[in-house]
Amino acid sequence: MSPPPVSAHVLACIGRTPLVALTRLGAGLPVPVLAKCEHTNPGGSVKDRIALAIVDDAERRGVLRPGATLIEATAGNTGVGLALVAAVRGYRLVCVMPEKMSVDKREALAALGAEVIITPNASPQQPENFRNVARRLAHERGWFLTAQFDNPANVRVHEQTTAQEILEQTGGRVGAFVAGAGTGGTISGVGRRLKAQVPGVRIVLADPVGSALADWVETGRLGPDGSYLVEGIGGSEVPANLHRDVLDAAERIDDAESFAIARRLIREEGLLVGGSAGTNVAAALRVAARGGLDGPVVTVLPDGWDRYRSTPWLRALAT
Ligand code: PMP
């Protein structure tokens, strides 16, 4: 296969990620389990796709002046994606981040030139919650809120790129698609497109134990609000970009299983991923094991291990 031609800038290298069969972890299952390697994006996560899509959309609508300030409530990955876009396009970036997120993510954002504001771990009802702080600052200062949780450009880019790539890479045969939801963009966008094009495909939410979303998928009512350590997915409220009509079921995965599977992805498959990849793959393995699917289970590896070097689950590998 020939290498890709010269790219005009790094933003042209976003997407077209590999789809890798999990031959060790998926051994003996009735269908293959395939992992979309979003950690190989230039910013190291799936969020590069939405960062570029949201800024492209805002530029097209004429709401971004040259040198404007972008602000986002981000667990880190969207911030890194936006920092790449801000660097190439000449914007300033402010990221508001809850204190539970890893110090590695904070340092990465600061190194990329973003201003980082840390908020206490507060519920969505409290004014100091990271999303409320970002909204308030955008309003007060006239900054552009990229609004990953509500912005429809998030879902759209997954329908148009992530799902399109999966359809091409599998020849259109997918038994199930499994992913966690942070904003919901990945599962809603990929889910909607696959549902439209692949008869019988099942769309399954991978949800951390302690998140309220699995109950909501099953009953329409949010479950109890608990705590968990996996970063970037699950939550105590439903983001606008999470669309229940495309979801068929949910799998609940606890922290211990998520981190155990993430460590196995690193050691046994050589896939250098973060904790939510463990949640997604744990759920995908369960869905594959149940059988009854006409095609492989496809899941997503949302980000890479470099963002979690300081966390106990990853340090456990090195000691
Ligand atoms: N995993 C990680 C590590 C993330 O940062 C995110 C995004 N918050 C996700 C998974 C979920 O992606 P989405 O926002 O598309 O639901």
Side-chain angles (χ1 to χ4, degrees), residues 60-316:
R60 225 175 282 126
R61 291 188 289 118
V63 295
L64 273 182
R65 283 182 310 280
T69 298
L70 315 175
I71 181 165
E72 183 55 288
T74 168
N77 285 328
T78 301
V80 173
L82 285 169
L84 298 187
V85 180
V88 174
R89 302 269 173 93
Y91 298 115
R92 184 174 155 242
L93 175 64
V94 177
C95 294
V96 187
M97 191 167 161
E99 68 188 350
K100 92 167 211 184
M101 302 307 165
S102 73
V103 70
D104 314 65
K105 287 180 181 169
R106 273 187 225 183
E107 287 176 1
L109 285 173
L112 277 159
E115 237 171 88
V116 182
I117 298 173
I118 305 293
T119 61
N121 296 326
S123 76
Q125 289 73 38
Q126 297 173 282
E128 60 272 28
N129 171 273
F130 72 126
R131 291 180 58 186
N132 296 335
V133 170
R135 214 175 291 129
R136 193 165 58 242
L137 284 171
H139 182 72
E140 287 170 3
R141 315 261 171 106
W143 295 343
F144 178 69
L145 182 66
T146 48
Q148 57 171 334
F149 293 93
D150 321 276
N151 194 321
N154 173 354
V155 177
R156 208 181 308 129
V157 74
H158 287 293
E159 276 186 85
Q160 292 173 352
T161 72
T162 322
Q164 175 66 31
E165 293 166 27
I166 290 169
L167 287 166
E168 288 177 27
Q169 288 167 310
T170 58
R173 267 195 82 225
V174 181
F177 178 74
V178 180
T183 65
T186 307
I187 194 160
S188 301
V190 174
R192 188 165 302 286
R193 179 77 184 278
L194 294 184
K195 285 255 167 187
Q197 291 195 230
V198 184
V201 68
R202 284 178 64 72
I203 309 299
V204 182
L205 181 77
D207 206 35
V209 170
S211 163
L213 299 177
D215 279 24
W216 171 77
V217 170
E218 291 166 357
T219 69
R221 258 166 295 132
L222 284 162
D225 182 14
S227 68
Y228 53 91
L229 294 174
V230 169
E231 297 179 32
I233 56 173
S236 56
E237 61 171 16
V238 182
N241 278 333
L242 181 57
H243 301 172
R244 186 160 177 261
D245 62 315
V246 304
L247 304 175
D248 295 299
E251 293 287 345
R252 295 169 177 78
I253 310 291
D254 65 20
D255 279 338
E257 188 176 0
S258 291
F259 295 138
I261 295 289
R263 285 191 292 258
R264 288 191 61 199
L265 286 164
I266 293 168
R267 281 278 170 95
E268 297 175 40
E269 302 280 359
L271 291 161
L272 309 183
V273 296
S276 69
T279 315
N280 285 355
V281 171
L285 294 171
R286 275 197 212 165
V287 170
R290 291 218 178 88
L293 296 173
D294 184 23
V297 175
V298 176
T299 190
V300 181
L301 309 178
D303 70 356
W305 70 342
D306 58 316
R307 247 137 255 189
Y308 305 95
R309 286 287 168 75
S310 67
T311 58
W313 73 265
L314 193 45
R315 293 184 75 88

